[in-house]
Amino acid sequence: MAYSNPAAEYAAHETILRMMLKGLPLADARILVLGLEQPADIPELGRREVVSFAHALAHFGPEVEVYDPTIDPIEASRETGLQCLIQPPQEGVYSAIVLTAAQHRLPDLGRQGLRALCQPDAVLYDLYLALFSHHADAAS
């Protein structure tokens, strides 16, 4: 089920623009969204925002995958219409990785672990930072 959220749609456009500026093709791209269920202490970024963002990304053509080890991926896929990974993500295949506030659940990953999941020149995008802060640059 897709939810309309203008801020999440804007963040999706920004992610795609950053990919295009780096010369990354969209047609065969794979984008990984890390985290679906958000911590209770961050109520302003919930499942609806992440789902809306992921669906907005998919409209541009890339394959969007969600990984969150704390969810039932089959049920979450059914409920959201998103492709939720059962196994941890593959290394070296993603054109972009989107961090949500839930990436704290992956403490062993770190920046080096995130980069291992990426293709060269991939975009790392912090969805929470983009939606709820005044920082100008939310991605790399």
Side-chain angles (χ1 to χ4, degrees):
M1 168 183 276
Y3 304 101
S4 179
N5 180 310
E9 290 172 12
Y10 175 82
H13 284 94
E14 190 175 73
T15 303
I16 295 297
L17 177 61
R18 291 179 184 278
M19 290 174 65
M20 292 170 62
L21 289 172
K22 287 188 170 196
L24 299 169
L26 298 179
D28 296 325
R30 289 174 69 184
I31 298 176
L32 177 64
V33 176
L34 286 174
L36 181 62
E37 292 298 332
Q38 304 307 311
D41 61 337
I42 306 179
E44 62 270 7
L45 181 62
R47 179 181 265 207
R48 285 186 156 205
E49 288 77 17
V50 175
V51 170
S52 179
F53 173 81
H55 280 287
L57 281 176
H59 284 289
F60 288 95
E63 179 180 346
V64 178
E65 300 172 355
V66 176
Y67 180 66
D68 187 331
T70 68
I71 64 170
D72 177 335
I74 294 169
E75 184 168 329
S77 291
R78 184 184 53 77
E79 290 175 358
T80 65
L82 297 171
Q83 181 181 348
C84 298
L85 298 176
I86 296 171
Q87 299 294 324
Q90 291 179 278
E91 289 191 5
V93 299
Y94 295 100
S95 299
I97 294 182
V98 178
L99 305 172
T100 70
Q103 78 269 2
H104 74 282
R105 294 179 178 146
L106 306 166
D108 298 334
L109 215 45
R111 188 167 177 86
Q112 187 174 3
L114 289 172
R115 284 290 178 198
L117 298 172
C118 297
Q119 297 174 346
D121 296 325
V123 170
L124 287 178
Y125 191 87
D126 188 323
L127 182 62
Y128 181 80
L129 185 64
L131 294 179
F132 301 107
S133 81
H134 300 292
H135 297 282
D137 189 7
S140 65

